[in-house]
Every structure is written in C-alpha cells, then in structure tokens.
Amino acid sequence: MPLDTIPNEKVPGHWLLARMGKKVLRPGGRQLTDEMLGSLAVTSTDRVIELAPGLGATARSLIARGPASYTAIDRDADAAAAVRDVVGPSGGTALVAPAQQVPLPDAEATVVVGEAMLTMQSDANKSGVIREAARLLGPGGRYAIHELCIVPDDVDPATEQQIWDDLSRSIHVGARPLTARAWRELLEAEGFTVVAEHRAPMALLAPRRVIADEGFWSAAQFFGRVARDRSARARVRDMRGCFQRWSDHLAAVAFVAEKA
C-alpha cells in the first residue's frame, strides 16, 4: 500500500481509506465514473493513458473495454506497482512520473483519463496537468476528468476559501476544488472543448454510497476495520464531518473534452 510507513494520523485521507480496504476513492463514486466512461466511449483502437490511477479501479474498467494500449502514470512508485499488477496481465503498464511531466512523446494517446487528482493541485499545477494531457493527445483526442466541485457556480470567494481550508485540514492534502464553470474554463483555456458533463452528490463516506461502490460485504469489512482502529476511526469521523458540514456546497463532476 502506498505511504504505508506514515501513521493513520498523518497519511492523506484517500490513502487512509484505501488502507482500511476502500477501493473506490472518487468523489462521485463508481456510478459517476461509469457515466464518464460511457461518454468517453473507449474502443479497440484507443491508446489510453491514465494519470494518478489510485489502486486501479478505473484501470480495470478501461482494460475491460479492450483498448489498443493502456499506460498508467503515477509519481508514487508503490502506487504504480499496484496498478501494474492489475493491468499487467492484460498487457498494460505503469510508469513512475509526475502528471505534469509524462515521459512519453507528443500525441502518444487518443484518450487521457484523470480522476480525483486535479482537486489536490494548486491552480498552476492544475493548468500544467491539463496542458500535459493536451500534449499527449493528437487532434480529436479525448480527455476525461472526475473531480470534486463547489456549488453553485457563483459561490462567494470567502466561502470557497473556507471550504478549501477545512478540506485540506481534514484530508491532510491541499485541496482546491473548483466550481463546474471554473473546471470547464480551465479545460477550454488549454484547447479542449467539453462534449459531456455529468454530476453526482459528494457522498464518499455515506454508508449507502460505500455499499454501492464496494458491495455489501466489502463495505462491511471496511466499516469493521475503521471501527476497530481508533486512529482511523477518528480520521474517518472527522472527514465525514467535514463533508457533511459543506454538503450544500460540495458535489462531484465529470467532464469529457476533445482536443481541437
């Protein structure tokens, strides 16, 4: 497991949840990912690159669609190794590199996918990752993202900053989710045209969502591990409290965009 030497009290929230057995770590859950992939429409001619693939839940779905190739990019060597184990039997591979500097040629891919990773980047890094996705794609290439978003689009800046601060404190990673309009504008600024948009509630730790994402028995095991581990229980309670505190202003959004 990535970052397995960092104690529960300090590890980033998504890796704590993974440590407890949660496999789906996306803000809109498995359903929003499936809707995004449906609009992405990967075929046997596509060359797919996935940025920061986590533990490989979406990688499995992408591989199942039979693309011509699949490559994962993750800056963490342990995370890359975990995904390599998932996709290797089907001919996929995983490289260790930052999403802003992928060691592959221009127009190497026809599809680039990134989920729940731009939210954790600064404004400059968000643009840098999107720009790198554009470099990796040729004309007509598709870029799909699934991220946390703030609602409504005209939320006041003070509330937005409070959300950023509270999320960052709770999940121990700098989190700067944007409004759906701002996400769209970032994509358009780097030469993409949005062709599909999907939304879902932000309910990552709601029991009903956990069961839907993980299945009943895996969800029960996850909740059991959390209940038995005092430090994990405190962190999960704090994260869920943060999500509930801002429930009127948090959602999940997925876009599919095409490069001109």
Side-chain angles (χ1 to χ4, degrees), residues 18-138:
R19 189 178 287 179
M20 293 296 105
K22 197 168 192 324
K23 299 178 181 66
V24 179
L25 303 171
R26 314 312 192 192
R30 190 183 299 276
Q31 181 175 344
L32 188 60
T33 293
D34 288 346
E35 290 174 359
M36 179 189 75
L37 294 181
S39 295
L40 193 59
V42 170
T43 72
S44 60
T45 63
D46 281 313
R47 304 182 307 278
V48 177
I49 292 175
E50 185 177 8
L51 306 176
L55 295 178
T58 299
R60 288 185 176 89
S61 295
L62 287 164
I63 288 288
R65 286 162 166 79
S69 66
Y70 171 93
T71 303
I73 306 293
D74 203 299
R75 69 186 309 152
D76 184 279
D78 291 332
V83 174
R84 196 177 294 118
D85 288 344
V86 170
V87 303
S90 300
T93 188
L95 305 178
V96 179
Q100 298 93 327
Q101 295 177 314
V102 176
L104 293 171
D106 294 357
E108 178 72 6
T110 60
V111 168
V112 175
V113 177
E115 295 186 283
M117 53 90 66
L118 291 175
T119 295
M120 311 301 180
Q121 306 293 325
S122 67
D123 290 348
N125 284 344
K126 284 179 172 68
S127 295
V129 172
I130 297 171
R131 192 174 305 122
E132 184 70 345
R135 183 189 69 80
L136 291 166
L137 291 167

Side-chain angles (χ1 to χ4, degrees), residues 112-192:
V112 175
V113 177
E115 295 186 283
M117 53 90 66
L118 291 175
T119 295
M120 311 301 180
Q121 306 293 325
S122 67
D123 290 348
N125 284 344
K126 284 179 172 68
S127 295
V129 172
I130 297 171
R131 192 174 305 122
E132 184 70 345
R135 183 189 69 80
L136 291 166
L137 291 167
R142 291 106 70 208
Y143 179 36
I145 66 171
H146 172 174
E147 298 291 340
L148 192 59
C149 78
I150 293 177
V151 295
D153 280 338
D154 60 354
V155 66
D156 68 274
T159 299
E160 188 173 51
Q161 185 65 57
Q162 286 180 305
I163 294 170
W164 291 347
D165 292 345
D166 202 13
L167 282 172
S168 299
R169 176 204 57 77
S170 178
I171 66 177
H172 296 184
V173 177
R176 295 174 66 89
L178 304 178
T179 64
R181 181 172 62 196
W183 283 122
R184 181 185 288 266
E185 289 171 351
L186 268 184
L187 291 165
E188 291 171 347
E190 300 301 334
F192 287 101

